[in-house]
């Protein structure tokens, strides 16, 4: 999702710095702005380049550590309008999209969503995505930094399908902005604006709701491991809806800093760090996204390689794992070693965990070293530190059932 050359100079309580994340803009680069840009600046948002956009990393009234903990305890709003929203229509839409992703879209009920991945012919992951089944379309949200790549990939195959007489089309949803409200108080804050109880609104489901009188698409999902919602809001109304959610006493704004540490505690991947187009869903610990029916029939790009790895574990060369690290935090790029000192992998994401008060990381190790409890080491600034394989998520998920 992110593209970075170096760390943002802002020092936070978490010492945030990753191989890919917030970066100084390249010379002459014209950063895009979301419709909430002025709103962020007015609230003291510290703006940084992020996937081609100017986005808040934190706000003057609350540091990254406090913002992270506030989200876990109450609720925070994140501007995610940089994400790519698209709508796929036509009677052949499921058949078309099932060539590109590993989900079973024919069996996905209306109003329900699923996490899936776009794959290439070699079985690598082009991007991760959320797909929501709607009455007459597929609503798809994917990563901002992958937008050009994703669209080129989809359109190439779309043209092929259309030339074969298929009824399918794609539209970019460029007249709506996207925000996420995350945390235990998210439902209470939203219920005040929709005028109804949302207890029957399940995780990974979507609905069209009037939020403070504004027609929105609302999905019960997010990127923090907490209960929460993502709201696709008509852009002319995005400031109004955000302000009304923020008026709830439990709700604060949060930036990219807290979003990154929250998702890592939740064991969630960041595309470009923890997933890339050389990594298969099996290697990336995302086998569960491949529907049972798709394992039997295939039909998606790279299926031969991916399904062969599922059937024969000897074909899996590496595995994504979680690590708890002693000493200094292990950042992206740090080497992972076995007890004999052999390099067996690389850290892809890492930070101090505000919730656990331990240093946590995610990375890849050679197959055979992925068992929880396996004792390893990581090299941080030429110092070898103890580490142990840990199950993910590091912090239990609190999704609404």
């Amino acid at each position: 999702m992110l593209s970075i050359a170096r760390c943002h100079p802002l020092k936070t309580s978490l010492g945030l710095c990753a191989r890919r994340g917030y970066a100084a803009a390249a010379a002459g680069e014209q950063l895009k702005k979301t419709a909430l840009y002025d709103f962020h600046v007015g609230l003291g948002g510290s703006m940084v380049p992020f996937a081609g956009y100017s986005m808040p990393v934190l706000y003057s009234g609350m540091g990254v550590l406090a913002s992270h903990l506030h989200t876990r305890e109450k609720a925070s709003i994140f501007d995610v309008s940089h994400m790519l929203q698209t709508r796929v229509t036509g009677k052949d839409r499921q058949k078309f999209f099932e060539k590109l992703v590993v989900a079973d879209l024919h069996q996905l009920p209306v109003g329900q969503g699923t996490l899936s991945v776009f794959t290439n012919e070699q079985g690598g992951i082009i991007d991760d995505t959320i797909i929501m089944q709607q009455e007459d379309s597929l609503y798809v949200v994917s990563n901002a930094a992958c937008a050009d790549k994703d669209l080129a990939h989809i359109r190439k195959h779309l043209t092929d399908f259309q030339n074969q007489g298929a009824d399918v089309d794609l539209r970019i949803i460029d007249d709506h902005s996207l925000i996420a409200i995350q945390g235990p108080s998210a439902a209470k804050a939203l219920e005040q604006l929709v005028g109804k109880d949302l207890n029957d609104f399940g995780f990974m489901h979507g609905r069209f709701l009037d939020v403070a009188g504004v027609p929105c698409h609302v999905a019960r999902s997010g990127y923090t491991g907490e209960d929460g919602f993502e709201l696709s809001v008509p852009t002319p109304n995005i400031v109004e809806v955000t302000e009304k959610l923020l008026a709830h006493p439990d709700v604060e704004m949060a930036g990219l800093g807290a979003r990154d540490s929250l998702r890592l505690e939740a064991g969630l991947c960041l595309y470009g760090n923890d997933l890339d187009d050389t990594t298969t869903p099996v290697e990336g610990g995302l086998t569960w996204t491949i529907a049972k029916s798709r394992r039997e029939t295939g039909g998606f790009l790279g299926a031969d390689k991916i399904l062969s790895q599922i059937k024969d574990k000897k074909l899996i060369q590496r595995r994504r794992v979680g690590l708890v690290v002693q000493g200094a935090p292990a950042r992206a790029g740090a080497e992972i070693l076995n007890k004999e000192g052999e390099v067996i992998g690389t850290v892809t994401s890492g930070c101090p965990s505000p919730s656990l008060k331990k240093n946590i990381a995610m990375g890849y190790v050679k197959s055979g070293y992925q068992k929880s409890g396996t004792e390893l080491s990581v090299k941080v600034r030429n110092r070898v530190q103890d580490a142990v394989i840990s199950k993910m998520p590091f912090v239990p998920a609190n999704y609404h059932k």
Side-chain angles (χ1 to χ4, degrees):
M1 181 186 298
L2 313 179
S3 182
I4 169 174
R6 61 179 177 83
C7 296
H8 182 256
L10 181 67
K11 293 183 179 179
T12 72
S13 55
L14 293 181
L16 288 167
C17 177
R19 178 170 55 87
R20 295 170 64 85
Y22 333 120
E29 179 185 359
Q30 184 65 45
L31 292 175
K32 299 175 186 176
K33 296 178 180 179
T34 73
L36 286 170
Y37 176 85
D38 291 338
F39 183 75
H40 297 312
V41 172
L43 290 176
S46 178
M47 310 303 286
V48 298
F50 179 93
Y53 285 78
S54 182
M55 300 290 286
V57 66
L58 52 71
Y59 294 85
S60 58
M62 185 177 287
V64 175
L65 175 61
S67 184
H68 176 113
L69 295 174
H70 182 86
T71 308
R72 291 269 182 252
E73 295 163 5
K74 294 183 180 179
S76 299
I77 298 172
F78 300 84
D79 182 4
V80 288
S81 299
H82 59 300
M83 303 287 278
L84 175 65
Q85 300 181 75
T86 55
R87 191 175 308 284
V88 186
T89 57
K91 65 180 178 62
D92 297 317
R93 61 188 180 276
Q94 286 104 341
K95 180 181 178 182
F96 166 62
F97 230 64
E98 282 186 356
K99 180 178 176 64
L100 307 183
V101 301
V102 299
D104 182 346
L105 301 176
H106 283 89
Q107 298 301 316
L108 189 67
V110 172
Q112 189 168 323
T114 185
L115 174 69
S116 194
V117 292
F118 292 103
T119 53
N120 59 27
E121 287 81 355
Q122 294 74 43
I125 298 172
I126 294 174
D127 197 5
D128 54 325
T129 182
I130 297 287
I131 305 168
M132 190 73 61
Q133 186 85 272
Q134 295 182 342
E135 194 70 46
D136 57 354
S137 62
L138 298 174
Y139 169 59
V140 182
V141 179
S142 50
N143 288 309
C146 297
D148 291 343
K149 176 178 70 170
D150 290 354
L151 286 171
H153 177 71
I154 295 169
R155 283 170 171 159
K156 172 182 179 294
H157 291 280
L158 179 66
T159 299
D160 292 343
F161 258 64
Q162 289 173 333
N163 288 341
Q164 295 167 23
D167 176 20
V168 60
D169 205 357
L170 174 79
R171 182 176 74 84
I172 298 172
I173 304 173
D174 54 8
D175 56 354
H176 280 57
S177 295
L178 195 65
I179 55 172
I181 180 167
Q182 299 282 290
S185 297
K188 293 179 186 176
L190 186 57
E191 283 171 346
Q192 288 189 353
L193 301 188
V194 299
K196 63 177 71 176
D197 185 283
L198 298 175
N199 195 52
D200 66 341
F201 194 158
F203 176 64
M204 288 303 292
H205 285 70
R207 295 178 180 177
F208 290 97
L209 295 172
D210 282 353
V211 181
V214 178
C216 303
H217 181 266
V218 181
R220 198 157 198 166
S221 61
Y223 193 50
T224 63
E226 294 295 332
D227 183 26
F229 304 85
E230 293 188 342
L231 287 72
S232 183
V233 184
T235 294
N237 305 105
I238 188 63
V239 172
E240 170 196 355
V241 170
T242 303
E243 286 179 334
K244 288 184 176 179
L245 285 169
L246 193 58
H248 191 283
D250 284 355
V251 179
E252 298 284 351
M253 296 298 296
L256 300 173
R259 184 170 165 84
D260 194 49
S261 54
L262 287 160
R263 70 90 190 169
L264 184 53
E265 285 188 347
L268 300 174
C269 296
L270 175 63
Y271 193 87
N273 271 40
D274 313 304
L275 302 172
D276 61 28
D277 59 13
T278 69
T279 305
T280 70
V282 181
E283 294 165 344
L286 297 174
T287 305
W288 61 271
T289 65
I290 306 170
K292 182 180 178 182
S293 62
R294 307 307 306 280
R295 300 185 196 194
E296 295 170 353
T297 62
F300 51 87
L301 297 175
D304 289 347
K305 179 172 182 177
I306 294 167
L307 298 182
S308 66
Q309 287 184 332
I310 294 175
K311 292 173 183 174
D312 185 355
K313 291 183 172 54
K314 293 178 182 177
L315 298 175
I316 307 170
Q317 299 298 309
R318 57 181 180 147
R319 303 271 193 161
R320 181 172 64 92
V321 297
L323 294 161
V324 173
V325 179
Q326 301 300 314
R331 306 294 185 180
E335 294 178 338
I336 304 172
L337 301 84
N338 63 17
K339 285 306 180 182
E340 289 69 47
E342 174 192 5
V343 177
I344 58 161
T346 306
V347 170
T348 54
S349 292
C351 73
S353 163
S355 303
L356 301 177
K357 297 179 173 57
K358 298 176 182 178
N359 294 323
I360 59 174
M362 188 186 295
Y364 285 82
V365 296
K366 288 182 181 178
S367 289
Y369 290 95
Q370 71 270 15
K371 185 177 179 180
S372 180
T374 300
E375 295 182 354
L376 300 171
S377 302
V378 295
K379 186 179 283 188
V380 180
R381 294 191 289 274
N382 293 319
R383 174 185 263 167
V384 177
Q385 303 175 178
D386 290 339
V388 62
I389 300 290
S390 174
K391 289 183 179 179
M392 294 186 285
F394 297 101
V395 174
N398 288 314
Y399 303 128
H400 181 72
K401 304 298 183 183

